[in-house]
Structure formats: structure tokens, C-alpha cells
Amino acid sequence: MVQLYNLHPFGSQQVVPCKLEPEQFCGGGRDALFVAAGCKVEAFAVAGQELCQPRCAFSTLGRVLRMAYSEAGDYLVAIEEKNKATFLRAYVNWRSKRTENSRVCIRMVGHNVEAPFRESFKDQMSIVEMPLSEAPLCISCCPVKGDLLVGCTNKLVLFSLTYQVINEEFSILDFERSLIIHLDNITPVEISFCVGYVAVMSDLEVLILKLESDSKNEEKVHHHPCKTNNPVKQINTDFSNETSQIESDDFVICQKPMELLGEKSEQCGISVTLELTGLADEKIKYFHIQHLLYRRFTPDISFYVLSDDIRLHSLQLLPIYHTGKCPLTSDGKNSFHGKELLSLFCFFSLPHVGYLYMVVKSVELMSVYQYPEKSQQAVLTPQFLHVITRNNLQCFTVRCSAAAAREEDPYMDTTLKACPPVSMDICALRIQLFIGLKAICHFKSHVVLLTKADPEAIPERRVSPRRFLSRKDTSVKMKPPVAEAGWSLYIVNTTSPVQLYKEMVDYSNTYKTVKTQSCIHLLSEAHLLVRAALMDTSQLEPGEKAELLEAFKESCGHLGDCYSRLDTQNSHLALPYYKMSGLSLAEVLTRVDWAAEDESQKYERGLIFYINHSLHENLDEELSEELAAKVVQMFHAAEPKQLPHVLCSPSMKSVSPLTALSYLRKLDTYGFSSVLVTLIKAALALKMGDLDMHRSEMKSHPEMKLVCGFILEPRLLIQQRKGQIVPTELAVHLKETQPRLLVAAVLGLQKNNKIGIEKADSFFKVLCGKDEDMIPQLLVDFWEAQLVACLPDVVLQELCRKLISQYIWRLSKRQLPDTIPLRTSEDLSLICGPSFDIASIIPFLELLSEDTIAGLSVHVLCRTRLKEYEQCIDTLLERCPEAVIPYANHELKEENRTLWWKKLLPELCQRIKCGGEKYQLYLSSLKETLSTVAVDLELRDFLNVLPEDGTAAFFLPYLLYCSRKKSLA
């Protein structure tokens, strides 16, 4: 369905001062217009709103039948007719043509320019003649690379744009015939070419192909024709023969309409054969064909007498490029204007209906345009489709920018970004009266129109009403040019995108009061208009981009308003549009119509969804008390279950505690009660300074249930502002009054993936007022709580490393905990644990001296874990002999039992001989050692380990015990 508005996409207009009635005309880049009449081409300078002025003129070989301009290479190419013969010529360096009689160089395509003449090419126009074995029918230039595609009766010829380098500052433009595409069963009337994509149109058929390089099959490709697989070719040939026979008996056969997409289009019955004709060097690309689309239409037999009523026209491939990217060519230089193809669209039209396809990543029909009257020609731009009828210039909207936006941005159609759908109904912005329209073209921000007042004069007519059906004759029949009055060539300036956008927004205001989809539709059209303009910034005037960006944000805000206020199935789109608008939450809330002060006001889903989602994000924005109260009222009325979560948002910090409590109590009356509501009440009571109420609420549930409440809403404890972690007032209070609950709550958040390990550590440091280098005891308590919980091995090792580092730091600095530890176990119990990798502790021991009891204990325990028992005995005998027997009793067991008499006993005897102040300690340890050894060894073995110079009376009691132990047993 096409909606019709009465907007003003067309602005001022001026008449082109050409002398003869134009036969062909086309735009020439950003600043020129070419008009062909008779055997001459005139170039006119077109600059903004200034009057169109003649720039230069040059003669042609004959009358111009077709003409096209390529911005890449800045050349004009024309099909010319002289003496019933057609010629293909390219006009290069035409800007150097100062006067009509200026010197011109004519050269053959592909011929090297001789050295004496090279420098003269810089200041004069060149004409490149391109001979063909068959008469050219139509032409198309690639807008990106400047390559030229020529359509003949049974083939397409591709001329690649090349350059002959003269010096560092100057190169001569040339062409190389690189490929021939042979076509059977279709004769091109119009063609379009863009970066390897080829569109071919006959009277009632459209075929879209893609030429692809295939480096993998390079060795298999040769310079001779290579046919594509076509299983229905023979069938179609037989059908054509049969058709010819029947048509000779005055019957007309019309094939049924057909649409084939993708690989299925290979079954269209049109044979495609490639023939590489370029030089066999490393620059040659090896092509194969990919079929994309085939569309065949059936004429309305009731109107077959009028041949023009049943022919396709206005074939066009429209590229849209990536924004802000400058790809490189194979030689390392920047490609033309840094353009990289993003999306490609194909348009073609019947007299009463037009079709727009997307053909890059997927081939699909995007839009169908139903014209109110018979069309004569159409041109497609990224913003509009301009269509001319006999007496009207029509402007339709297009969906190209919507499709391209989804190709370019992976975040499109998410909660971050949105764009109007491709499937949205198109609309006609205006139908402008223009008497006697005959032809149209578009370039930059201009629409060029040819009008002729005489309704009898028809510039182009085909001869037989039957020829277009049988495809026997597609030659162009044109009347010879006649200089006569009643015609005009106009340049119509299109309205700037920003100005037209503003008009569309004003127009949409008429729909706001009735809350209809028309408001969304027109604002979506305005949004797409601005988006399309921003996709091609090369066409913008200085300063216009800033205006467009501002208009883009404003349009997003308008769409956000619509989706937040209207009850639609797409109300969730309010969120991404408001985000794209750059409006703050407070600014959005001020745009809401707070009609009712009580709870009777209805709030639409879109607004609720946006506010709820925004309040769940870490917004660095704090609502005023008034706006916060409005939000509480809104959610209590529309989404009461979300009210507790809303109150936990940092943006709601300024909400009145009394107001919040009053609405929370109403939730209880509705039967909505949970531990989360209890915790929020406790936090609000704390904010009011009502400690009795706070304690009462906290005691109403057991500790584990409170932990579950914190898991449901972590923002009760932890909030984030400007990227920094901020503990809540409730968390600060729990640190002083219920630290065990606080640690358990944060541990619960971590186990439920509500908070990361680093973020939890930072929370406790900030909570305890410590910098990054200081470790508070509450964080150590949290680490120890994590250790008790079941954690993955990788996390466990890192956790143990942090704890050991902290324990050793305390021992080395003799630093006591800043708060009472929650666990009563000693710090060293972790080192004694069998599951810990003792090797990871060794680097920390360098900081710990053995001069203290704690330091000595750590070193001895670590060496014991490394099974360095003898070294530990030496250390204890030297530094703490009173601990050697308890150590031996604990560690020298089983396979280490022999160290009692092999290491400890001899060491004690030796030290006793030396005497000293530790003599009594050594003697006491020796007696306990002898008692242990006497029990373990037999009498003979016991005698062998005793020192030879010892006093017999001292050892006699142990010998007697050893000899009698069997009888005692």
C-alpha cells in the first residue's frame, strides 16, 4: 500500500540554456550536466543554487543514441549513429576542452601513446574509439571502478578502465576489452553494471548475474569460451522454434510470468557463456558466473496494441557504500573515493508498477511501487524514487538505507540500536504537476527533466506491436532531431535532507493527538531520509553533516516518544530509539504527559520497558525527587512486581523514603511480600535513621533467606557510578553490625555470577576505606569464606596465593588485623593443608625472617612439606631446641622414623659435648630421644647407635628398658 503525503521534496528550478531539443542528457559528476543534440554534446556547469551556465561543447561523430558518465575516471561515453552505422566512443579529459574549436586527440582503445605526443594529452580532450563486431545497443559504467559494460544483440562486452602512466603527476586514461559475456535467448534493451554485478533487461525479462574471480580454479581457466550449465537451454530453443512457426500464422505466444531467485535462476533458459579477452598476465581475473535473479513478466493482451504499455523500463543498480572505510586496491593505492560496497539494489519498472530488489548477501524483493498512472521513466536514489508520467513528477520513499544499516551494523535491531523495517509501507511524498514530461535523470541534489508541450510528439516509438513479444527486433527507432518550440530542459533542485526532515516532523504533529500508526510511519520516513543522507557524506555541503547528525538524534527521540506512548506490538523499540537520541532518562521523563496526579493514568508498555531497562543499567544519572516519585507511582500502577527493583537503582537515590515505603506497604496489601521487599524497607529505614525499624525488618527473616534477597538484587549492597564501585549505605551498616551476613551475601553473589572476583575484592577495599595495596581483614574473611566454598581448582590456587601472601605479609610486618577475624583458626593452618602446592609459597618466604617464632615456624613447615627433615632438625636445634622433640614426634614417622637415631640422636650428643647455655635443653631432648629409640630398636641395634665415649651409667636405664621390653610385653 502506498500512502500519499503532500510534502515538498522539490525546491527551485531553472531552465538549461541549450539551443536544440535534447536527445540525450546525463549528469556529469558533482558539477556538470551533459546534453546531446544533433551531432554535438554541450556541458553545463551546475553549482548549487546558481544559474546553469555553458561550460564547453564538443562535436560527436553522429547523432547520440545513448550516453553515460563515469565519475570514476571522469569520462563520458556515447553510442553514436552515422550513416546507419553505430559507434562507441569515450570522451576523456573533457574538462580541458576550453572552446568548441580546441584541439582534440582521437585514438584507438588499447594503443600506447607515442612518446612525442604524451605531454600534450594533459591539456587537451581525447576521444577513445572502441570498435565492436556488433552494433552497441546500451551502455553502463561501474560507479566504483569506472569499467564500461556494453550491450550488443547477443552479448555483453566489458572494457576495464586502465591508465597509461606518463609520469608521477599525469596518467592517460584507457580501456582494455577484458571479457565478453555471450547471451542466448535475450537481447538487452537496458543494462546496468556495478562492481561485478550485471543486470540485463529486455522488453519483459530481467536477469541479474554476478561475475566472480576464482583463484582456486585459476589453472583450469583458459582464454576461450566457457559455457555455464543450463539444462533447459535445449528445451527453450525448441520452444523458440515452435513459437516462430506459430507466430508466422498470426498467433502470439505469451510465456507465463516467472520469478527465480538465487541458484534457481540458472533454470531461466538463458544461456550465459564467458570469453576472456584480456592479456594473459598476472592482472587478469578469472571469472565465473553466479546467477542471482530472473524475472519474466507477461503482457496484458487486452492492451497489446499499445506496445509501450507492456515494456519494462528504467533498469538501475544502486550501490550503497560502507561509511568511513577506505579499502585498498591490489596495487596498494586507495580505491576510488575510498568506496567499499555495502549493499546493492536493483530497480526496474513496468508502466504501472515498479520493483526494488536487494541483491548482495541475499536476493529478495524489498518494495513494490504501484503508480497512480502510467509511468514513462524512473530514477532511483538512496533517498527517493523519482517517477515521471505524462504530466506528473512523483516522489516515492525507498528502503535502501534501512537494508544497508542492517548490513553494516551488527547491533541493529537490538536493545542498543533500531531502524525502521524494510517491510514498512512505502509512501509518495508528492505528486508534482509537470506538463509534457518525456525524460528524467538525477545527479547530486538535482533532478533534470525534459518536457515537451506537444502531446503528438513522441520521441521514441517501437514499430511493431508484435516484435516486443517475440524478441525479434529490439533496435531503437528514434525520430531525427528537429529544432522546434515547445520543449524545455529543467534542473529541479531537491530540498535539502534537513529541511525536508523538518517539514515531515511538522506534518507528523497532526497525528499525535489521535495516536495512530501514521505518526510512526511518517517519522520513520523522516528518520530513513536522514540516515540515507548520512550514509553518503561525500554528497554533503560543509556543515551539513553536523545538522544531519543533530536531526538524526532528534528523529530518534521522536520515534522513542511514539513507541513509548502508542500501544503497538513494537513498543519495545522505545528503548533503542531513546538510546540513539542521546536523551538522558530525566529528559525522557520530562517529555511524558503526566496528565493525572492519581493512579488512574494509563502508562503504555513502551515507556515502562524503557524506564525499567534504563534503571537496571549503571547510569551516571540521578533523578530529582519529583521525577523519582513519578517513576514510583508509574511502576506501582503498571508493573508493581518491578517496583522493588526500581527502588534499588542508583538513579532513584533521591526518592523520598516515606514515599517509597508507602508504596511498598501497598504491595503487602496486594499480597506481594518477599524478602526483597523486607531488605528494601530495612534500607529505607536506615536512610531515615530509624534503627529500630531497620533491626525489626532484618530480624524478620533468617540469615540465609536474607542472602537470597541480596542475590535477587545486588544493588542493595553494590552500586556503580562513573565506572567506580560504590558500597551502599546498607552495606556500610552491615559491615559494622553484621559482617558475617555481608560476607555471606557477597559470596552468594559471586556463586550466582552476579559479581566477578575482582569486582568483589574492590568492593571490600572501598567499603573498608583501603587503597589497592592494603588488604582489610573483611576481605581476608571473604577469601577464607571462598576457600570453604566449593570453587574450581584454578580459582582455588589463585585464592590460596592471595591468602598466603597476606598471611606472610602480616607475619613479616607483625601487623594485626584491622577487625576481628570471623574465623578462629590460625593463619598458618592454610600452609599445613595437604591440598596446597607448597612450591608456590617459596617466593614469599624471602620476605619472612627466621628470627621470629612465626617466621621460623613457617620456614620449618614449608621445608617439612618439601621433605627436608634433616635441615629442619638442624634449624630447630640451633634456633628453638625446645621444639625439636614435638616436631620429631609429629613428623618423624613411618619411613622417616630412622631419623630419630640416625640424625637427631647423634646431633644431640654432639651438642651436649660442646656444652653451652643450651646444655640443659639438649640434655632433656636427648633423654626423650633415647626413650623413643629404646622402644623402636632391638638391644644390639640400640647399642650400635649409642656414642662410644658416652658414660655407661647415663645410658644404662635405657639399655635395661630395651632388654626387658619383650618380657614386659
Side-chain angles (χ1 to χ4, degrees):
M1 183 182 72
V2 179
Q3 300 193 41
L4 177 61
Y5 300 104
N6 189 26
L7 298 170
H8 300 84
F10 307 114
S12 61
Q13 65 186 48
Q14 56 177 302
V15 177
V16 180
C18 47
K19 300 175 182 178
L20 297 177
E21 177 183 349
E23 298 170 1
Q24 299 288 333
F25 56 92
C26 67
R30 295 175 56 90
D31 58 354
L33 172 66
F34 294 106
V35 180
C39 296
K40 182 184 294 186
V41 173
E42 292 182 276
F44 296 90
V46 182
Q49 304 294 328
E50 298 178 8
L51 291 178
C52 177
Q53 298 292 336
R55 181 167 186 164
C56 67
F58 46 88
S59 299
T60 60
L61 186 63
R63 187 163 54 91
V64 177
L65 304 180
R66 297 287 180 100
M67 187 167 63
Y69 169 80
S70 173
E71 190 170 1
D74 191 25
Y75 68 88
L76 180 73
V77 62
I79 299 176
E80 304 171 14
E81 182 185 50
K82 182 178 182 181
N83 298 329
K84 297 184 179 181
T86 55
F87 304 89
L88 181 65
R89 309 174 96 202
Y91 296 85
V92 180
N93 202 23
W94 59 272
R95 296 180 187 271
S96 299
K97 180 76 170 173
R98 304 300 180 187
T99 65
E100 188 172 350
N101 297 323
S102 298
R103 186 176 179 180
V104 175
C105 172
I106 302 178
R107 54 191 170 94
M108 193 67 67
V109 64
H111 286 208
N112 291 328
V113 179
E114 296 181 4
F117 301 99
R118 288 183 174 181
E119 288 297 329
S120 63
F121 277 61
K122 182 184 295 186
D123 300 321
Q124 68 181 30
M125 186 179 78
S126 299
I127 300 176
V128 181
E129 294 192 341
M130 291 173 273
L132 295 167
S133 60
E134 296 183 15
L137 301 177
C138 44
I139 51 179
S140 177
C141 302
C142 174
V144 177
K145 297 183 178 180
D147 297 339
L148 172 64
L149 188 68
V150 183
C152 302
T153 302
N154 293 310
K155 63 186 177 184
L156 306 176
V157 182
L158 177 61
F159 290 90
S160 298
L161 182 64
T162 61
Y163 292 90
Q164 295 183 30
V165 179
I166 304 303
N167 52 50
E168 294 182 355
E169 299 179 355
F170 180 62
S171 298
I172 298 176
L173 184 148
D174 200 1
F175 296 90
E176 178 187 358
R177 190 174 68 168
S178 57
L179 180 69
I180 298 177
I181 307 172
H182 296 276
L183 301 172
D184 292 343
N185 300 324
I186 186 171
T187 299
V189 174
E190 293 184 26
I191 59 174
S192 188
F193 182 57
C194 180
V195 199
Y197 289 86
V198 178
V200 184
M201 186 181 77
S202 67
D203 288 328
L204 290 172
E205 296 172 287
V206 174
L207 176 65
I208 303 179
L209 308 169
K210 183 182 180 183
L211 301 175
E212 293 184 326
S213 59
D214 191 358
S215 57
K216 296 181 180 179
N217 299 329
E218 184 173 331
E219 297 179 358
K220 302 179 182 179
V221 179
H222 304 283
H223 287 257
H224 58 76
C226 179
K227 294 186 178 181
T228 59
N229 295 329
N230 207 321
V232 298
K233 179 185 176 183
Q234 185 63 40
I235 299 175
N236 241 50
T237 304
D238 297 340
F239 180 82
S240 298
N241 295 335
E242 183 180 354
T243 301
S244 300
Q245 182 179 356
I246 297 177
E247 285 190 355
S248 64
D249 298 329
D250 293 329
F251 285 94
V252 176
I253 299 297
C254 298
Q255 300 184 45
K256 65 180 181 180
M258 180 184 296
E259 181 187 45
L260 300 174
L261 303 177
E263 295 180 357
K264 293 182 179 180
S265 60
E266 294 184 22
Q267 304 172 9
C268 63
I270 299 175
S271 175
V272 183
T273 305
L274 298 184
E275 179 183 357
L276 299 176
T277 59
L279 298 177
D281 58 21
E282 60 181 7
K283 295 182 179 180
I284 292 297
K285 294 182 178 179
Y286 299 87
F287 290 104
H288 69 274
I289 287 290
Q290 180 185 356
H291 289 70
L292 299 178
L293 170 68
Y294 173 75
R295 185 78 187 262
R296 181 171 67 206
F297 298 90
T298 299
D300 186 348
I301 301 300
S302 62
F303 294 101
Y304 96 99
V305 178
L306 301 175
S307 61
D308 288 340
D309 283 347
I310 47 176
R311 286 187 175 132
L312 292 166
H313 64 76
S314 305
L315 175 68
Q316 183 180 347
L317 289 176
L318 176 71
I320 290 185
Y321 309 101
H322 282 279
T323 55
K325 294 185 178 180
C326 295
L328 298 179
T329 58
S330 58
D331 58 359
K333 298 180 180 179
N334 286 332
S335 63
F336 173 68
H337 288 310
K339 292 181 178 179
E340 180 182 350
L341 187 65
L342 171 64
S343 294
L344 187 67
F345 305 91
C346 182
F347 175 81
F348 49 87
S349 181
L350 287 169
H352 290 280
V353 61
Y355 300 89
L356 180 60
Y357 281 85
M358 180 170 62
V359 295
V360 175
K361 293 186 178 179
S362 62
V363 182
E364 59 180 288
L365 179 62
M366 288 176 51
S367 303
V368 177
Y369 293 85
Q370 300 286 346
Y371 310 134
E373 54 184 311
K374 175 190 167 185
S375 64
Q376 296 184 2
Q377 194 179 351
V379 289
L380 178 68
T381 74
Q383 291 96 347
F384 304 114
L385 174 69
H386 299 295
V387 181
I388 59 169
T389 65
R390 183 175 179 181
N391 294 316
N392 283 312
L393 170 61
Q394 303 173 2
C395 178
F396 297 90
T397 58
V398 295
R399 301 288 169 261
C400 299
S401 60
R406 289 172 170 82
E407 292 287 339
E408 185 173 38
D409 197 336
Y411 293 102
M412 198 61 64
D413 297 324
T414 65
T415 58
L416 298 176
K417 295 182 181 179
C419 182
V422 175
S423 59
M424 186 176 69
D425 291 339
I426 57 176
C427 70
L429 296 184
R430 188 171 185 84
I431 298 180
Q432 180 75 43
L433 178 65
F434 254 99
I435 303 298
L437 286 170
K438 300 301 178 185
I440 182 175
C441 81
H442 176 275
F443 72 101
K444 199 182 176 185
S445 58
H446 310 289
V447 174
V448 185
L449 300 171
L450 175 62
T451 66
K452 192 169 185 180
D454 182 9
E456 302 271 329
I458 302 176
E460 180 178 0
R461 180 176 296 279
R462 317 222 177 193
V463 176
S464 171
R466 291 176 50 196
R467 286 179 181 168
F468 68 87
L469 294 170
S470 61
R471 228 192 275 118
K472 289 181 178 178
D473 184 7
T474 56
S475 61
V476 179
K477 305 294 183 180
M478 299 186 68
K479 288 188 174 183
V482 179
E484 56 181 273
W487 60 265
S488 294
L489 188 65
Y490 295 97
I491 294 181
V492 180
N493 298 315
T494 57
T495 306
S496 70
V498 173
Q499 182 179 345
L500 183 56
Y501 159 78
K502 293 178 179 179
E503 184 184 6
M504 296 170 81
V505 171
D506 293 340
Y507 199 111
S508 69
N509 290 331
T510 59
Y511 299 104
K512 282 189 176 181
T513 56
V514 291
K515 291 188 176 181
T516 64
Q517 290 290 336
S518 297
C519 181
I520 293 180
H521 185 275
L522 190 52
L523 287 174
S524 297
E525 295 287 7
H527 176 86
L528 289 177
L529 170 67
V530 177
R531 185 184 282 275
L534 285 171
M535 282 187 167
D536 190 7
T537 54
S538 63
Q539 299 294 328
L540 301 180
E541 298 293 339
E544 192 175 2
K545 183 177 180 180
E547 284 187 278
L548 282 171
L549 288 173
E550 188 63 31
F552 179 81
K553 291 182 179 180
E554 183 184 281
S555 72
C556 293
H558 289 317
L559 285 171
D561 291 342
C562 286
Y563 285 110
S564 67
R565 295 169 187 172
L566 304 183
D567 187 13
T568 70
Q569 61 179 358
N570 297 318
S571 57
H572 62 280
L573 294 177
L575 173 61
Y577 279 120
Y578 274 141
K579 282 189 175 182
M580 294 161 62
S581 71
L583 293 171
S584 66
L585 177 58
E587 289 172 329
V588 171
L589 290 174
T590 56
R591 295 158 76 106
V592 177
D593 182 16
W594 305 98
E597 292 295 331
D598 55 16
E599 300 179 12
S600 62
Q601 183 173 354
K602 181 182 178 182
Y603 304 99
E604 300 297 345
R605 291 176 299 169
L607 181 61
I608 295 295
F609 180 78
Y610 163 73
I611 297 176
N612 189 30
H613 196 283
S614 299
L615 291 177
H616 274 79
E617 295 180 347
N618 294 319
L619 298 178
D620 297 326
E621 179 183 5
E622 188 174 314
L623 297 179
S624 65
E625 182 178 348
E626 180 183 0
L627 287 178
K630 295 281 189 182
V631 171
V632 172
Q633 173 189 332
M634 179 189 303
F635 276 87
H636 181 265
E639 288 286 341
K641 289 186 178 180
Q642 291 297 322
L643 181 57
H645 298 282
V646 167
L647 288 171
C648 294
S649 171
S651 301
M652 298 289 289
K653 183 179 179 181
S654 298
V655 68
S656 168
L658 292 175
T659 302
L661 280 173
S662 66
Y663 281 105
L664 287 175
R665 291 191 180 103
K666 292 179 183 178
L667 288 181
D668 292 342
T669 62
Y670 296 153
F672 184 87
S673 178
S674 70
V675 66
L676 179 58
V677 175
T678 298
L679 288 173
I680 296 174
K681 288 180 179 179
L684 292 171
L686 191 64
K687 188 175 181 180
M688 294 188 298
D690 192 343
L691 296 181
D692 292 336
M693 179 183 172
H694 169 78
R695 284 189 288 267
S696 175
E697 295 291 344
M698 294 299 289
K699 291 179 180 179
S700 61
H701 294 284
E703 184 175 291
M704 287 311 299
K705 212 167 184 183
L706 294 176
V707 170
C708 294
F710 286 119
I711 294 173
L712 287 174
E713 189 46 80
R715 293 178 296 177
L716 281 167
L717 297 175
I718 306 170
Q719 295 183 355
Q720 202 162 6
R721 294 174 191 166
K722 297 182 180 180
Q724 301 295 322
I725 293 176
V726 179
T728 63
E729 188 177 352
L730 179 59
V732 174
H733 185 73
L734 291 179
K735 168 184 171 287
E736 303 296 334
T737 59
Q738 294 178 276
R740 192 179 300 275
L741 172 60
L742 179 61
V743 169
V746 179
L747 182 62
L749 295 179
Q750 183 186 347
K751 293 182 70 174
N752 286 273
N753 299 320
K754 296 295 183 71
I755 188 175
I757 295 176
E758 294 182 0
K759 189 175 180 180
D761 290 358
S762 298
F763 165 74
F764 281 108
K765 289 181 180 179
V766 175
L767 179 65
C768 298
K770 303 294 183 181
D771 56 27
E772 287 296 322
D773 297 329
M774 300 297 293
I775 307 298
Q777 175 58 37
L778 200 59
L779 178 55
V780 176
D781 294 332
F782 175 65
W783 288 345
E784 291 175 339
Q786 287 180 289
L787 196 64
V788 175
C790 298
L791 296 175
D793 292 339
V794 177
V795 179
L796 180 63
Q797 290 296 324
E798 175 63 19
L799 183 62
C800 291
R801 185 197 66 78
K802 292 192 292 187
L803 277 170
I804 291 298
S805 175
Q806 180 61 18
Y807 291 158
I808 292 179
W809 179 84
R810 282 185 184 173
L811 293 172
S812 63
K813 301 295 183 180
R814 299 185 182 183
Q815 183 74 38
L816 295 176
D818 55 344
T819 59
I820 300 175
L822 298 181
R823 299 188 177 274
T824 58
S825 58
E826 298 292 336
D827 287 349
L828 298 181
S829 63
L830 193 68
I831 300 178
C832 301
S835 62
F836 190 72
D837 182 15
I838 198 64
S840 62
I841 298 179
I842 300 303
F844 298 103
L845 296 183
E846 298 178 0
L847 303 176
L848 189 61
S849 172
E850 295 185 4
D851 295 337
T852 63
I853 296 298
L856 177 63
S857 302
V858 171
H859 279 278
V860 169
L861 286 173
C862 290
R863 290 176 190 149
T864 301
R865 289 285 306 280
L866 294 174
K867 298 184 178 181
E868 298 176 357
Y869 300 104
E870 295 187 19
Q871 184 179 353
C872 291
I873 292 173
D874 291 338
T875 301
L876 289 175
L877 287 175
E878 181 66 29
R879 293 182 175 273
C880 189
E882 61 269 26
V884 70
I885 295 303
Y887 172 81
N889 286 330
H890 191 271
E891 298 294 340
L892 303 183
K893 300 177 181 178
E894 299 176 356
E895 68 272 11
N896 299 319
R897 193 75 174 174
T898 58
L899 293 177
W900 278 92
W901 52 85
K902 289 184 178 181
K903 175 64 179 177
L904 184 57
L905 180 60
E907 283 291 336
L908 288 171
C909 292
Q910 182 63 32
R911 291 175 185 271
I912 289 174
K913 287 181 182 179
C914 296
E917 59 182 11
K918 298 181 181 179
Y919 174 82
Q920 291 298 328
L921 290 175
Y922 292 144
L923 183 61
S924 175
S925 298
L926 177 61
K927 291 178 180 180
E928 293 191 39
T929 302
L930 289 172
S931 299
T932 301
V933 174
V935 173
D936 289 349
L937 298 180
E938 297 295 331
L939 180 60
R940 180 176 298 180
D941 295 331
F942 186 39
L943 285 171
N944 290 334
V945 300
L946 293 177
E948 296 180 355
D949 55 351
T951 303
F954 178 80
F955 294 103
L956 184 59
Y958 304 100
L959 289 170
L960 291 176
Y961 176 81
C962 184
S963 62
R964 296 174 182 171
K965 63 182 177 182
K966 288 186 178 181
S967 59
L968 292 175

